Amino acid sequence: MDWDVIILGAGAAGMMAAIEAGRRGRRVLVIDHAKAPGEKIRISGGGRCNFTNLGIAPERFLSKNPRFALSALKRFTQWDFIARMDAAGIAWHEKALGQLFCDGSATQVVSMLVRDMERAGVTLWLGCGVAGVSRADKGFRVDTARGGQVAASVVVATGGKSIPKMGATGFGYQVAERFGLPLVETRPGLVPLTFAEQELSWMQPLAGVAVDARVVCGRQGFDEAVLFTHRGLSGPAVLQISSYWREGEAISVNLAPGRDMAAELRAAKAAAGREVLRTALGRVVPERLARHLEEVSGVTGPLAEVPGASLERVAALVSDWRLMPVGSEGYRTAEVTLGGVDTDALDGRTMAAKAVPGLYFVGEVVDVTGWLGGYNFQWAWSSGWAAGQVV
């Protein structure tokens, strides 16, 4: 069969592009090797889909060219997607930091997108593998498990390498390389950080402990929860900083952001000199962590007997605890893939490959990665929408 557009991938970006192209009267085929569409939508946000964020801004996206995403994000905004949710009758609520979630199941979002594709006349092939994409007389030939298909345009919306158990592969990058498009190095993003054995010896007994903290790497910092695990550190603040962290760099953890720990410890010494350090620290962090900090500091005995210099040292430890990750948990648990198709090779308004007319890349496969909290879904909606206007 001949199609106007073949879209590779039935995720957020692919379905969005399909809806927009179908509404323009285009003959659209969406192909995905998964058995169901929108699998990452379904599992996101604890099953409630953190579908966008009220604070969309270019500085909250990582890319070799952070301003590349501006055009698509400005032309199809978070408010535009919220309007679609409202029109579909999907109730939602705001959590911390502008994050928007469904009141009910994330499957409502998938159902809305599938319904919109059906109404736009889009054909959806699920459980269908794609072997390759090549040039053809009328545009492109896509070799599929159902035979060769020809289309004037191809939209690559295959996502990145994150969460391979959901079927993620690097196929989109292979298509880019096949047509001579450059890639920016890919690596796991929004992923827990791991530590060497000597660190794990004390971290593992703290597994399950969570604390609100500020985590900093270089010039970037995040104020959210940190969670100790059997493999190292996780939690929103750590996932966020993982996108900025590179091997060989230390991270700084402030366990008492916005508080003057030196003053608080001096006050505790004056008011309750018989207290031990872990008791005073236990008013700031969970008890198990307070005990560990006491052990690390080497401060023993009642506070009345602890020199002021030692209290200052403890305060510095609490406010600027330097830790050295050795790696991350990798694509297995990473929420996104950093890097991807180099934006220098793409038109920011249409998502088209500049040197390959008719070829488009949208969503996670592109070198645009958002912060945790709905930013990556908004990039998927916006980039998919942009391509859908022109394919």
Side-chain angles (χ1 to χ4, degrees):
M1 289 186 63
D2 287 356
W3 307 87
D4 293 319
V5 188
I6 293 177
I7 297 175
L8 307 181
M15 288 193 283
M16 195 69 178
I19 291 164
E20 294 303 305
R23 287 175 175 175
R24 294 173 46 241
R26 311 294 281 166
R27 292 170 298 163
V28 183
L29 170 64
V30 178
I31 307 173
D32 200 304
H33 65 266
K35 294 180 180 179
E39 284 293 84
K40 284 186 94 172
I41 299 174
R42 181 182 61 81
I43 68 168
S44 68
R48 292 187 183 273
C49 186
N50 180 191
F51 60 87
T52 192
N53 194 293
L54 297 179
I56 299 297
E59 63 270 18
R60 297 182 177 184
F61 291 84
L62 291 82
S63 173
K64 195 176 84 171
N65 175 14
R67 299 193 67 78
F68 173 84
L70 259 179
S71 176
L73 292 171
K74 281 187 172 181
R75 289 161 56 230
F76 188 86
T77 70
Q78 63 270 44
W79 307 109
D80 293 317
F81 194 79
I82 290 167
R84 296 198 181 194
M85 296 282 285
D86 291 342
I90 302 175
W92 53 271
H93 60 278
E94 179 184 352
K95 283 192 176 181
L97 304 173
Q99 301 169 15
L100 302 190
F101 289 79
C102 298
D103 285 359
S105 170
T107 56
Q108 294 174 286
V109 179
V110 179
S111 297
M112 173 186 74
L113 295 168
V114 171
R115 184 173 61 249
D116 285 351
M117 284 198 299
E118 291 172 349
R119 290 173 178 172
V122 173
T123 300
L124 175 61
W125 288 358
L126 295 171
C128 180
V130 174
V133 180
S134 57
R135 275 291 196 188
D137 291 341
K138 296 183 180 180
F140 299 89
R141 175 187 171 90
V142 179
D143 294 312
T144 82
R146 299 191 188 186
Q149 305 295 315
V150 176
S153 299
V154 168
V155 179
V156 180
T158 50
K161 301 176 183 177
S162 56
I163 319 182
K165 70 178 181 182
M166 301 290 295
T169 70
F171 182 74
Y173 309 131
Q174 296 170 21
V175 174
E177 289 183 313
R178 165 76 176 76
F179 287 94
L181 273 67
L183 299 177
V184 174
E185 175 198 4
T186 56
R187 56 192 178 92
L190 300 180
V191 62
L193 296 176
T194 58
F195 291 80
E197 285 299 322
Q198 62 266 29
E199 301 283 2
L200 290 179
S201 63
W202 61 260
M203 282 187 176
Q204 288 176 340
L206 294 173
V209 170
V211 59
D212 288 332
R214 178 170 179 78
V215 181
V216 175
C217 183
R219 296 181 178 180
Q220 188 66 49
F222 293 94
D223 294 278
E224 291 187 73
V226 170
L227 174 68
F228 288 85
T229 75
H230 287 288
R231 291 177 291 274
L233 294 178
S234 186
V238 173
L239 297 184
Q240 293 276 41
I241 210 66
S242 72
S243 294
Y244 294 86
W245 175 82
R246 298 303 292 254
E247 190 171 342
E249 294 180 331
I251 62 172
S252 168
V253 181
N254 183 347
L255 297 168
R259 300 174 69 161
D260 185 341
M261 281 307 301
E264 290 191 31
L265 290 175
R266 287 194 298 269
K269 176 180 178 178
R274 293 183 180 180
E275 273 188 354
V276 291
L277 180 60
R278 64 178 175 273
T279 303
L281 293 177
R283 291 192 284 270
V284 181
V285 299
E287 180 186 0
R288 276 194 285 165
L289 182 53
R291 287 180 176 274
H292 173 71
L293 291 170
E294 181 186 64
E295 181 180 340
V296 170
S297 71
V299 173
T300 59
L303 289 176
E305 299 176 6
V306 179
S310 295
L311 293 181
E312 294 283 347
R313 182 164 47 81
V314 172
L317 172 64
V318 173
S319 301
D320 185 14
W321 192 12
R322 299 299 177 99
L323 297 169
M324 181 67 76
V326 295
S328 76
E329 291 190 7
Y331 291 114
R332 181 181 63 84
T333 59
E335 296 199 15
V336 292
T337 303
L338 292 155
V341 178
D342 194 328
T343 57
D344 286 349
L346 303 178
D347 183 321
R349 186 170 178 82
T350 64
M351 307 306 298
K354 295 175 182 177
V356 189
L359 185 62
Y360 300 77
F361 292 83
V362 297
E364 188 181 351
V365 72
V366 179
D367 175 34
V368 175
T369 305
W371 284 6
L372 184 72
Y375 294 92
N376 289 294
F377 272 129
Q378 186 58 48
W379 170 243
W381 313 135
S382 298
S383 59
W385 181 91
Q389 306 309 304
V390 295
V391 291

